[in-house]
Amino acid sequence: MSRAEVAEEAALEEHFVWVTTRRLRPGTLEEFERAWRPVPYPKGLRRAFAYWSEDGQEITGVSFWVSKEACDSWRASEPEAQRRAAMAPYVVEEREGFYRGRELAIPQR
């Protein structure tokens, strides 16, 4: 398979992504991060990333799932409800969304 064919194939792979952005109470990032880690590890979760603002008052979580159903199952689970309850004292505002998409192929120079 040529390099172009490999890049094209990667660009066609569909991803299922849950993105959550939370604004935190000042000075609570460390406590929030302890509460934020899921236990048990969700079935169907492929990868997860966390990005936070310089001031530590906003954090965005990006998680990649095997399917929308796997993500929905986790979101409806008791462990996720417990995790959200543990995070709640540190969260001022929350926005979330579920997306489908593809990786964009970046041309090599």
Side-chain angles (χ1 to χ4, degrees), residues 11 31-32 42 48 77 88:
E31 293 91 344
F32 172 82
S77 72

Side-chain angles (χ1 to χ4, degrees), residues 20-25 27-37 50-52 56-61 83-84 86-94:
T20 306
T21 300
R22 295 177 176 94
R23 192 163 52 88
L24 306 179
R25 299 187 189 289
T28 64
L29 179 60
E30 193 173 306
E31 293 91 344
F32 172 82
E33 284 185 314
R34 278 195 292 273
W36 181 73
R37 299 200 183 276
Y51 305 98
W52 50 94
Q57 292 185 1
E58 188 170 277
I59 188 164
T60 297
R83 185 180 81 98
R84 286 181 175 268
M87 291 186 292
Y90 314 112
V91 177
V92 175
E93 178 186 356
E94 179 177 305

Side-chain angles (χ1 to χ4, degrees), residues 13-79:
E13 181 182 349
E14 188 169 44
H15 296 276
F16 302 94
V17 183
W18 179 20
V19 179
T20 306
T21 300
R22 295 177 176 94
R23 192 163 52 88
L24 306 179
R25 299 187 189 289
T28 64
L29 179 60
E30 193 173 306
E31 293 91 344
F32 172 82
E33 284 185 314
R34 278 195 292 273
W36 181 73
R37 299 200 183 276
V39 177
Y41 191 80
K43 286 183 70 177
L45 178 62
R46 287 185 172 172
R47 298 179 77 182
F49 298 87
Y51 305 98
W52 50 94
S53 61
E54 279 190 48
D55 65 5
Q57 292 185 1
E58 188 170 277
I59 188 164
T60 297
V62 181
S63 56
F64 292 80
W65 296 82
V66 297
S67 67
K68 182 176 187 326
E69 293 76 21
C71 182
D72 288 346
S73 177
W74 169 254
R75 291 175 68 191
S77 72
E78 183 58 30

